[in-house]
Amino acid sequence: MLRVAAVALCLLALTACGPRVSGTARPLKVTDVERELVTSYFTALNEAGAQGVAEQRELLAETQHPDFRDAGCEPPGGTIRVEPTLSTLRLDPSWTPPGEDEHPRGVVLVIAVTLTVVRDGAEVGSQIGSQHIVLLNGKAYGFAPCAG
């Protein structure tokens, strides 16, 4: 009898742990606000590049993730033009910058891009790859592309 009472108390305790929440689990999605921050980041980057090397490098320095500003990266000679493929934008919560052990503060996103280096108005190289953008305190930050 004591054993039956103990089992009944355990079952009662387990069912009383909290209310059942209805719904279906879904993966996290990129919001419209996050998508707009990323779009604005690339628009500003390309507009700065159209103004010149100094302007683009200044923007790259300003938009470098605050925790990684001392990475010692030297952007490629000339300017860069980045064409993101917005349909590929997705969350990447487990990413860490190369050579780092810690995840950057903020929401980490990854997107496929075509990056073109331009010198004196001429395209000198183009590459397709992925670029990480971090959203932190309502602003998009990147990781400056480094010369090979």
Side-chain angles (χ1 to χ4, degrees), residues 41-103:
Y41 171 85
F42 288 114
T43 299
L45 182 63
N46 290 330
E47 287 174 354
Q51 294 175 16
V53 174
E55 290 82 354
Q56 191 172 54
R57 286 191 180 197
E58 182 178 324
L59 180 73
L60 284 169
E62 289 172 7
T63 59
Q64 183 77 1
H65 190 285
D67 297 342
F68 299 92
R69 288 198 172 140
D70 297 327
C73 176
E74 182 64 33
T79 61
I80 55 172
R81 184 175 59 243
V82 183
E83 298 172 35
T85 304
L86 289 174
S87 63
T88 66
L89 183 63
R90 66 189 184 283
L91 295 164
D92 194 0
S94 61
W95 180 77
T96 57
E100 298 292 330
D101 295 330
E102 293 188 29
H103 183 275

Side-chain angles (χ1 to χ4, degrees), residues 1-7:
M1 176 87 162
L2 188 57
R3 180 179 273 177
V4 173
V7 170

Side-chain angles (χ1 to χ4, degrees), residues 16-53:
C17 287
R20 179 181 161 105
V21 177
S22 62
T24 305
R26 283 185 245 153
L28 294 174
K29 292 186 178 183
V30 177
T31 68
D32 290 340
V33 171
E34 292 167 333
R35 189 174 306 282
E36 180 57 35
L37 286 169
V38 171
T39 300
S40 296
Y41 171 85
F42 288 114
T43 299
L45 182 63
N46 290 330
E47 287 174 354
Q51 294 175 16
V53 174

